Amino acid sequence: MNPRRLLLILVPYGWLLALFLIPFVIVLKIALSDTAISIPPYTPLLDLAAGWEGFKSFLGQLDFENFVFLTEDDLYWKAYLSSLQIALVSTIITLIIGYPIAYAMARSAPEWRPTLMMLVILPFWTSFLIRVYAWMGILSNEGLLNQFLLWTGLISDPLTILNTKTAVYIGIVYTYLPFMILPIYATLEKLDASLLEAAEDLGCTRLSAFWLVTFPLSKSGIIAGCFLVFIPVIGEFVIPSLLGGSGTLMIGKVLWEEFFSNRDWPVASAVAVILLMILVIPIILFQRNEQKNREADQ
């Protein structure tokens, strides 16, 4: 094989090995360990000086006790279900808001597109934490939103928004909206306008041409945007902690409490492994389906 081609292949595999596979194996090993009052707070530890016998003894002490524990405590599966629900609803809301924005950007005059693109990515120029703290000020009982609604006369008493799921959805949608807009915009911008003209020449209205031509051809951008929003949201910790309060249950908060409050690294690692499985399996199934579709098209 050409050395240059071999190098190109090794770079991504080396990246995956160093930044995904090795950390995952370490987390999986901790998930199969037991809690201990020591540094690090789990046992057993691999003793390379003990040789093969030490390695066999090390493997013999690993078990699935922490995974069994997760199935017996309601807190964990409720946290998984709540995270899935919040991630799914947030993704749908983000798509409903983001698609029209991306469509308008793609159909705007070419000289305006860089400006619109800059406005979409402008929030990233400030710290993520500062933006979330700003929402705390806006959504509190004495915040700007309640003051505005009271001033307009729409409400007579301040609404309780902060420390509710509504605040979590607002924070998530605001934070992750650019991740939905950008891939959809990239797809729509490349769309051949002559296809729409052909559809209208054949008798389609603008609405039916959009539904029959534009929307199906933007499917790849929609799927990419949904993955970019859904995957990080399901493990989100900061937004539900600051905007949702103690009443919002998400697996990211449970994970943080197990690691840093309870110092139960094995259980926290088991939670992380299951969370990874929840995210990886649908991605693999989707990629296999896409590959089958490509093979069918050929």
Side-chain angles (χ1 to χ4, degrees), residues 118-176:
M118 187 190 69
L119 291 175
V120 170
I121 64 175
L122 193 62
F124 291 117
W125 292 8
T126 56
S127 166
F128 169 71
L129 275 178
I130 291 176
R131 284 182 280 143
V132 177
Y133 273 113
W135 274 110
M136 292 177 68
I138 295 172
L139 300 177
S140 64
N141 287 352
E142 300 81 20
L144 293 175
L145 180 59
N146 271 317
Q147 289 183 21
F148 175 75
L149 294 175
L150 289 169
W151 176 73
T152 56
L154 293 175
I155 58 173
S156 56
D157 296 312
L159 299 174
T160 301
I161 303 174
L162 191 63
N163 296 327
T164 64
K165 274 192 176 181
T166 303
V168 176
Y169 285 126
I170 291 173
I172 289 174
V173 170
Y174 163 76
T175 303
Y176 290 95

Side-chain angles (χ1 to χ4, degrees), residues 79-96:
Y80 281 118
L81 289 180
S82 176
S83 299
L84 284 170
Q85 179 196 4
I86 291 174
L88 183 62
V89 173
S90 301
T91 303
I92 293 171
I93 297 173
T94 309
L95 175 62
I96 292 172

Side-chain angles (χ1 to χ4, degrees), residues 11 33 66 104 106 139 144 148 170-171 178 186 196 199 206 225 264 281:
V11 168
S33 304
N66 296 310
L139 300 177
L144 293 175
F148 175 75
I170 291 173
L196 294 174
R206 285 193 174 185
D264 195 339
I281 289 172

Side-chain angles (χ1 to χ4, degrees), residues 6-27:
L6 180 63
L7 180 63
L8 289 175
I9 295 174
L10 287 178
V11 168
Y13 278 104
W15 179 276
L16 285 174
L17 180 68
L19 299 180
F20 175 74
L21 188 57
I22 292 177
F24 174 74
V25 170
I26 293 172
V27 171

Side-chain angles (χ1 to χ4, degrees), residues 46-116:
L46 178 60
D47 184 8
L48 295 176
W52 177 246
E53 291 300 323
F55 182 69
K56 287 198 295 185
S57 174
F58 167 76
L59 290 180
Q61 296 179 62
L62 299 179
D63 55 52
F64 292 91
E65 180 182 341
N66 296 310
F67 292 97
V68 175
F69 173 72
L70 296 185
T71 63
E72 295 173 345
D73 194 324
D74 293 349
L75 170 70
Y76 299 101
W77 65 263
K78 285 181 179 177
Y80 281 118
L81 289 180
S82 176
S83 299
L84 284 170
Q85 179 196 4
I86 291 174
L88 183 62
V89 173
S90 301
T91 303
I92 293 171
I93 297 173
T94 309
L95 175 62
I96 292 172
I97 298 174
Y99 195 98
I101 297 174
Y103 185 82
M105 289 172 61
R107 290 292 170 266
S108 63
E111 62 270 21
W112 279 100
R113 292 177 188 174
T115 304
L116 296 173

